[in-house]
Amino acid sequence: VQLQASGGGLVQAGGSLRLSCAASGRTFNTYVMGWFRQAPGKEREFVAAINWSINSTAYGDSVKGRFTISRDNAKNTMYLQMDSLKPEDTAVYYCVADYQFVTVVSPYWGQGTLVTVSS
């Protein structure tokens, strides 16, 4: 599966952005999909994941209650709604897909989209 992330940009603290991840290739709804992010000088961090087949979502502790992950299988697209953004959310955001769990060693990654939150 090929992944293409978009929607990043510059936003003020407290603002919102919505990221999109368009998938192509093999059947979209057979994968678990998610988002990771990586800030300069830091390790890649889990943000959120969604398993459509069992209607399950998961979030990293730092984004719980502020970010919402969703997917539209008809459009082969996953979304990350980011609200109440903080400067520490600044990072390159990557969409990822795997067969059961998304991790830093998952096989399918998008190219990343930069989110910058100004204070």
Side-chain angles (χ1 to χ4, degrees), residues 85-102:
L85 282 162
K86 304 175 181 180
E88 51 264 43
D89 294 318
T90 295
V92 177
Y93 284 71
Y94 298 91
C95 55
V96 57
D98 206 327
Y99 301 103
Q100 288 188 307
F101 307 101
V102 291

Side-chain angles (χ1 to χ4, degrees), residues 14 17 24 38 52 57 60-61 63 67 69 75 79 91 110 112-113 117:
L17 277 177
S24 60
Q38 189 164 22
W52 180 84
T57 59
D61 288 341
V63 306
F67 290 10
I69 190 171
K75 296 182 178 179
Y79 304 98
T113 186
V117 184

Side-chain angles (χ1 to χ4, degrees), residues 5 21 33 55 63 90 97 105:
C21 177
M33 297 189 68
N55 194 28
V63 306
T90 295
V105 296

